[in-house]
Amino acid sequence: MATYQYRCPGCGPFDVTRPMGRALPEEQCPTCGLHGRRVFTAPMLPRTSAPLARALQSQEASAHEPRVVTEVPPARRHPTSAADPRQAQLPKP
Ligand SMILES: [Zn+2]
């Protein structure tokens, strides 16, 4: 079943549920009984959000072409100073 949208000239938009591909060009308004014309709208397809799509693509790519790291990334070579000065007094490995 699919939901098709129609617009009544007096009441505005209303929905009619019909089997897929069986939509009529006009339907009777459930409120006033006038004939409303069909309104073509975008199908309600599920969309994957952009962050989720990137994560899924990255996961799939790593399964086939895992990235090999040969050196420490430049951003992590020089760790930033700790927010708490007491951490500088802790023993280093
Ligand atoms: Zn109506």
Side-chain angles (χ1 to χ4, degrees), residues 20-76:
M20 193 169 282
R22 300 286 175 96
L24 300 174
E26 289 188 348
E27 284 282 348
Q28 193 170 11
C29 174
T31 306
C32 69
L34 290 175
H35 285 279
R37 296 188 61 127
R38 184 175 173 199
V39 178
F40 290 90
T41 58
M44 295 176 60
L45 300 175
R47 296 187 63 191
T48 305
S49 65
L52 178 59
R54 279 195 299 272
L56 292 173
Q57 288 173 354
S58 174
Q59 180 188 19
E60 186 175 339
S62 70
H64 302 289
E65 304 165 13
R67 293 190 313 177
V68 178
V69 177
T70 56
E71 62 183 27
V72 178
R76 295 188 181 179

Side-chain angles (χ1 to χ4, degrees), residues 8 10 14 17 25 27 33 46 59 61 63-64 67 74-75 77 79-80 92:
C8 172
F14 64 94
T17 303
E27 284 282 348
Q59 180 188 19
H64 302 289
R67 293 190 313 177
R77 283 186 185 154
T80 58
K92 305 288 184 210

